[in-house]
Amino acid sequence: MRPIWLEKSSGNVKIIDQRKLPHVFEIVDLLDADDIVRAIREMYVRGAPLIGATGAFGVYLAVREAMKTSCFDEVFQRACENIRAARPTAVNLAWAVDRMTAAISSATDPSEKLALAREEAGRITEEEADNCRRIGEHGVSLIEEAARGKNGRTVNILTHCNAGWLACIEYGTATAPMYIAAEKGIDIHIWIDETRPLNQGARLTAWELGKAGIRHTLIPDNAGGHLMQHGMVDMVIVGTDRTTHTGDVANKIGTYLKALAARDNGIPFYVALPGSTFDWRAADGLKQIPIEQRDPDEVRYVQGLEGGKTKSVLLCPEDTPAANYAFDVTPARLVTGFITERGMCEATKEAIAGLFPEMAGDK
């Protein structure tokens, strides 16, 4: 199934509550724009492509909500602004809201706007799923090449955070080449960083790959460098929440350290992303990509299963201050290449523009 869909009978948006995985599988209804904002901010949904799709459905719900009032334009615009600002780092969110508002701008009748919004949100969702499939088809060649170089022995891939179907509607970005490699019978094994503080690797990537029957091992975040030093990693593949058109990559905090370790050990470091995740305005990731700072309690507490029930446990002294930077920026110089729905390229402004000339020309 997908992590988001529109229920045809009610017109409501349904999502998997990813906060409760892997121990509790729960489906939640999103009834209006406020529900969408809460779901994005509180990470019921997360991952750049899924956040974009959720924002798109949020615009649809904003139209439906505004139709019930006497001041359609005011209510609708306010809702769209709130959705757009729900999380600052993932560029897909603003991209999807802007695309949705443009798609319905020609209609004057609210009912027509609603129909157009529903259609466009569905189109965005399908496109992102297809993009991920194509990312997998392009990226699997890297795994095939590695397998040939090892004479068919296990290809060991390290990934950070969750860039699977839970984050991307279907296939995932970083995981898409892994899924297709498994379908082709290539012997692969995935090292999964736990990804503190919210453990998306331990909770979500491990759950996904386990369900798919792909061999994997969970490791502490700080173990990656050790594994690379001892020849136990053949490549790193990660996703991204925003990447500049010059190749700087914002991804879950800790990604930069993996890129440094990979460079030091001569291991290729790939970033998988759809075109919607490129920021065509930002040129300097360190200066121009906003880094979200989240609730410090996400650092101070950890969620787990005890006696069949999920529970939050305090890790540190009760009065300990904490900082919770959600993302870091990996400079383009540390990225071996990008895997996109249009093919692969180097992490340079010129190479990216070569794959997406129509977007590069709009900067």
Side-chain angles (χ1 to χ4, degrees), residues 139 141-147 155-159 191 228 232-237 262 267-270 339:
S141 63
L142 299 169
I143 302 175
E144 290 173 321
E145 182 181 354
V155 177
N156 291 292
I157 305 167
L158 185 144
T159 192
W191 296 109
M228 293 182 203
M232 300 168 74
V233 178
D234 295 304
M235 69 180 69
V236 180
I237 307 179
I267 294 166
F269 181 94
Y270 297 104
I339 312 169

Side-chain angles (χ1 to χ4, degrees), residues 216-240:
H216 60 279
T217 302
L218 177 66
I219 58 172
D221 279 2
N222 294 333
H226 169 78
L227 297 177
M228 293 182 203
Q229 285 178 324
H230 290 271
M232 300 168 74
V233 178
D234 295 304
M235 69 180 69
V236 180
I237 307 179
V238 301
T240 172

Side-chain angles (χ1 to χ4, degrees), residues 64-105:
R64 190 175 71 168
E65 186 179 355
M67 288 175 65
K68 302 173 184 177
T69 71
S70 58
C71 44
F72 179 94
D73 289 341
E74 181 182 342
V75 172
F76 175 70
Q77 291 298 330
R78 183 168 61 248
C80 288
E81 289 170 6
N82 290 339
I83 294 167
R84 207 176 189 278
R87 289 192 71 186
T89 302
V91 74
N92 296 62
L93 181 55
W95 166 83
V97 172
D98 290 347
R99 177 169 159 177
M100 288 290 295
T101 54
I104 68 173
S105 61

Side-chain angles (χ1 to χ4, degrees), residues 28-40:
V28 175
D29 283 285
L30 305 180
L31 306 180
D32 55 31
D34 287 342
D35 284 349
I36 291 286
V37 170
R38 183 172 63 255
I40 294 172

Side-chain angles (χ1 to χ4, degrees), residues 242-250 279-291 328-333 349 363:
R242 182 188 299 225
T243 290
T244 68
H245 69 273
T246 57
D248 295 337
V249 175
D279 186 334
W280 301 101
R281 294 183 177 89
D284 187 327
L286 287 173
K287 294 180 179 178
Q288 293 178 280
I289 296 178
I291 299 300
D328 58 23
V329 174
T330 298
R333 62 183 171 79
K349 176 181 178 179
K363 293 194 307 299

